[in-house]
Amino acid sequence: MSGAENYVISGPDLLNLTTEIFVKAGLGREDAGIAAGSLVEANLRGTDSHGVIRVENYIKRLKHGGAAANVKCRLVSATPATIVLDAENGLGAVASRQVCGLVRDKALKNNLAFGVVRNSNHFGAASMWALLLAGDDLISFVGSNVHRLMPAPGGKGAAIGNNPFALAVPAGRYEPMCLDMACSVVAQGNVLKYRHDRRQMPEGWFVDSEGEPTTDPFEALMVLPFGGHKGFGIAVIVEMLSALLAGGAFADNIGSQYDDLVNPNRLSHFFGAMRIDAFRDLGEFKSDVDEFIDKLKAVPKKAGVAEIFYPGEIEAARKKANLKSGIKLPRSIVEELSEIAAELKVEKTMIAPLTARPV
Amino acid sequence: MSGAENYVISGPDLLNLTTEIFVKAGLGREDAGIAAGSLVEANLRGTDSHGVIRVENYIKRLKHGGAAANVKCRLVSATPATIVLDAENGLGAVASRQVCGLVRDKALKNNLAFGVVRNSNHFGAASMWALLLAGDDLISFVGSNVHRLMPAPGGKGAAIGNNPFALAVPAGRYEPMCLDMACSVVAQGNVLKYRHDRRQMPEGWFVDSEGEPTTDPFEALMVLPFGGHKGFGIAVIVEMLSALLAGGAFADNIGSQYDDLVNPNRLSHFFGAMRIDAFRDLGEFKSDVDEFIDKLKAVPKKAGVAEIFYPGEIEAARKKANLKSGIKLPRSIVEELSEIAAELKVEKTMIAPLTARPV
């Protein structure tokens, strides 16, 4: 490995390597490809926090029993428009890929469909599933609960996860609209960066052990919901649509994905979809979405701002660029992946592309 | 009228008076009762900004052509799970009441249903329709677009409405959960109060004509989305689910409800519902919602905080209290309603309760 701080690897090479890592960790090749694909897709879209940085945690969970490698989703119940699956503690991406296909089929036949999954694990970037489910003709809405990590308004203990969700809407000339967010102001992990740099954090991000606002990263205990009680309320609703509707675990029955590698995470997800042409002509809808975006971009901009973006536009542009130029990974991730791959006895020719292009 | 600053009127008396006002303004008695009921319900729930304070605007719009009194919703298209209505410029409450009934019926038969309405007017408090649609057995999701009044991130012109939405989830021992919000940090109308009081506004509420943050109410031009780009993105999605799916007006084709009383407002709404027992036993679901709320309330509280509330709990408690004690209205609203009623030749015995109980 050279002294470079960053390396560039092509999307296909990173997908091959990550797939092989999951195969060596015990997943069937198809499931391994799905799990790897969901992580590499996040890197392609520039949302690196949900990319291959997660491989280490997934592998540790598979090794220590926190997640199961060779399981199949169990059908709990279904109607023409609905489905309930139990992921049997498999990887969230594997269950999500399956339920997206089932919900999409149901929505195409029934105009609307809604599926839920329980006993699952981290499902990666919500946008991955929203875009897959929506395709070219549906509007989709997906989400997941996670362990409690944010306070309620008035509370000083962890009350609710920052429950991520995403919605996708196809456009015509433009790439699909895709809104993807967690219900916290920022990611919980930010506090580590500020501790490392010994810098004060911006106001409004974190609270201390008494539930009072703090900018001191060493006092910071919990990240706040975005928009105060509004973000808190949305997180609660995501919990209702996922865990409560799926009959899954909630509140103190969900452990931390990172702090507890031994016990199942017991996350729940939801996947809803609507067929646009049940409401109006699909072409006219898409043409209106294009016009909406055109008008958004035509609004006067602040000094120094070149363009106004619609939800998901920046990520779609990054994917196009990264498919061409490759994915940039920091040295720390490259080393981590190399070690994991070597330990699992992945062939050296598959690991080599990680360090072939230092930048 | 005495010198009191506030008056108390019972819910039924206020409903009778408001219904009669709408009848005199040309609505059929049933439609008048629906429109009045939606406003009085907001007062009962303590969300006075969506209560009878809106009567003046509704009446002005009916008088000047901005809204139509005697129209019926036109069916545009329907499938077993979906419906598209054209409100023909009638009051939003009248169309919303109708589509809630239709979507509820469809959801009961089909497990899922989604309806949209175009060419409508202000539909009042979103929670009204979310709770009505959900009843005791469905999860509901409703929303509406409004005229552009917030900037996009990077923009200095109005790009999107603060598009309100609500979701309702039935519980067991507890009153139903109901999350109801607009996508702005606060209501646009706050700026008027601060101008009147010549006070600085809190940071993060408004921007000036250059799109830069300001606390000066005389420089303040637009209210910001809650949570920055997150609230902006949610507002865009509400626009997709309402106007774009309904084939309704959007962007510059929607005028202000208050500034343009002559032209149709052309708002669109959406109403989605899911049957809970399509996924799991309804009683078990409700029991889990109760347990979720119990656990939320059991989380350690900040010093001085007596209780943690779930979304919609405070409004439900206020309704119980106001049904008993009556609705408190400020003198300004009492005078406004009295004048409107007198001008429309409403019987004096119906107006009298407004000022019978000064406090």
Side-chain angles (χ1 to χ4, degrees), chain A residues 173 286-296, chain B residues 250 253:
Chain A
R173 281 179 283 115
K286 288 183 178 181
S287 155
D288 274 359
V289 174
D290 287 345
E291 188 186 329
F292 174 86
I293 294 172
D294 286 339
K295 287 185 169 179
L296 197 64
Chain B
F250 56 88
N253 291 320

Side-chain angles (χ1 to χ4, degrees), chain A residues 153-207:
Chain A
K156 66 175 186 181
I160 190 82
N162 65 344
N163 299 354
F165 65 95
L167 296 107
V169 180
R173 281 179 283 115
Y174 290 100
E175 293 292 319
M177 194 176 276
C178 184
L179 181 72
D180 180 3
M181 68 178 75
C183 294
S184 48
V185 177
V186 291
Q188 177 93 355
N190 274 282
V191 68
L192 302 176
K193 213 166 54 186
Y194 282 84
R195 278 181 197 161
H196 177 269
D197 300 346
R198 299 193 167 265
R199 277 194 301 146
Q200 294 292 297
M201 295 189 297
E203 279 182 33
W205 282 16
F206 275 75
V207 291

Side-chain angles (χ1 to χ4, degrees), chain A residues 79 111-114 154 156-157 181-182 184 210 226 230 244-245 252 274 280 285 288 295 299-300 302, chain B residues 79 110-114 154 156-157 181-182 184 210 226 230 244-245 252 274 280 285 288 295 299-300 302:
Chain A
T79 74
N111 291 327
L112 305 179
F114 203 91
K156 66 175 186 181
M181 68 178 75
S184 48
E210 290 306 308
F226 82 102
K230 296 194 177 189
L244 279 284
L245 207 50
D252 52 332
M274 289 200 283
R280 60 185 298 216
F285 173 86
D288 274 359
K295 287 185 169 179
V299 166
K302 284 165 69 169
Chain B
T79 73
N110 195 62
N111 291 328
L112 305 179
F114 203 92
K156 67 176 187 181
M181 69 178 73
S184 47
E210 291 306 307
F226 82 102
K230 296 194 176 188
L244 279 283
L245 207 49
D252 52 331
M274 289 200 284
R280 59 184 299 214
F285 173 86
D288 274 358
K295 287 185 169 178
V299 165
K302 284 165 70 168

Side-chain angles (χ1 to χ4, degrees), chain A residues 89-157:
Chain A
N89 198 32
L91 291 185
V94 175
S96 298
R97 178 67 191 80
Q98 185 179 353
V99 72
C100 276
L102 295 167
V103 169
R104 217 186 123 74
D105 285 349
K106 284 177 183 285
L108 288 174
K109 282 188 198 127
N110 195 64
N111 291 327
L112 305 179
F114 203 91
V116 288
V117 180
R118 67 192 191 200
N119 290 328
S120 184
N121 284 283
H122 184 249
F123 80 165
S127 53
M128 169 83 189
W129 312 117
L131 287 164
L132 180 70
L133 181 51
D136 204 32
D137 46 2
L138 308 181
I139 292 176
S140 65
F141 180 24
V142 313
S144 178
N145 70 343
V146 300
H147 72 280
R148 299 192 295 186
L149 56 84
M150 305 193 300
K156 66 175 186 181

Side-chain angles (χ1 to χ4, degrees), chain B residues 27-284:
Chain B
L27 267 73
R29 186 156 294 276
E30 193 185 342
D31 287 356
I34 290 167
S38 79
L39 299 179
V40 173
E41 174 75 10
N43 286 117
L44 283 170
R45 289 171 55 83
T47 49
D48 293 334
S49 59
H50 287 68
V52 292
I53 195 174
R54 303 275 182 161
V55 168
E56 188 204 15
N57 177 257
Y58 283 19
I59 295 297
K60 276 189 182 164
R61 295 192 67 80
L62 289 165
K63 187 174 167 186
H64 297 292
N70 252 316
V71 287
K72 281 194 187 312
C73 283
R74 181 170 59 83
L75 178 69
V76 177
S77 68
T79 73
T82 64
I83 188 160
V84 182
L85 291 178
D86 189 309
E88 302 279 7
N89 199 31
L91 291 184
V94 175
S96 297
R97 178 68 191 78
Q98 186 180 352
V99 73
C100 276
L102 295 168
V103 169
R104 217 185 123 74
D105 285 349
K106 283 177 184 287
L108 289 174
K109 283 186 199 127
N110 195 62
N111 291 328
L112 305 179
F114 203 92
V116 288
V117 180
R118 68 191 190 200
N119 290 328
S120 185
N121 284 282
H122 183 249
F123 81 164
S127 54
M128 169 83 189
W129 311 118
L131 287 164
L132 181 71
L133 181 51
D136 205 31
D137 46 3
L138 308 181
I139 292 176
S140 65
F141 180 24
V142 312
S144 179
N145 70 342
V146 301
H147 72 280
R148 300 192 293 186
L149 56 83
M150 304 194 301
K156 67 176 187 181
I160 190 81
N162 66 344
N163 300 353
F165 65 94
L167 297 107
V169 180
R173 282 178 283 114
Y174 290 101
E175 293 292 319
M177 195 175 275
C178 184
L179 181 73
D180 180 2
M181 69 178 73
C183 294
S184 47
V185 178
V186 291
Q188 176 93 355
N190 275 282
V191 69
L192 301 176
K193 214 166 53 188
Y194 282 84
R195 278 182 198 161
H196 178 269
D197 299 347
R198 298 192 166 267
R199 278 194 300 147
Q200 293 292 297
M201 296 190 297
E203 279 180 35
W205 282 16
F206 275 75
V207 291
D208 63 19
S209 59
E210 291 306 307
E212 298 298 336
T214 182
T215 59
D216 180 345
F218 294 95
E219 294 288 325
L221 188 73
M222 281 184 296
V223 66
L224 284 164
F226 82 102
H229 64 284
K230 296 194 176 188
F232 168 75
I234 295 175
V236 169
I237 293 295
V238 170
E239 193 86 20
M240 296 297 119
L241 296 176
S242 53
L244 279 283
L245 207 49
F250 56 88
D252 52 331
N253 291 320
I254 298 179
S256 162
Q257 181 191 351
Y258 281 91
D259 298 342
D260 178 358
L261 302 170
V262 175
N263 294 299
N265 213 176
R266 288 192 289 265
L267 300 187
S268 300
H269 324 305
F270 69 85
F271 304 84
M274 289 200 284
R275 201 171 156 144
I276 294 160
D277 66 4
F279 299 88
R280 59 184 299 214
D281 179 81
L282 182 61
E284 287 173 14

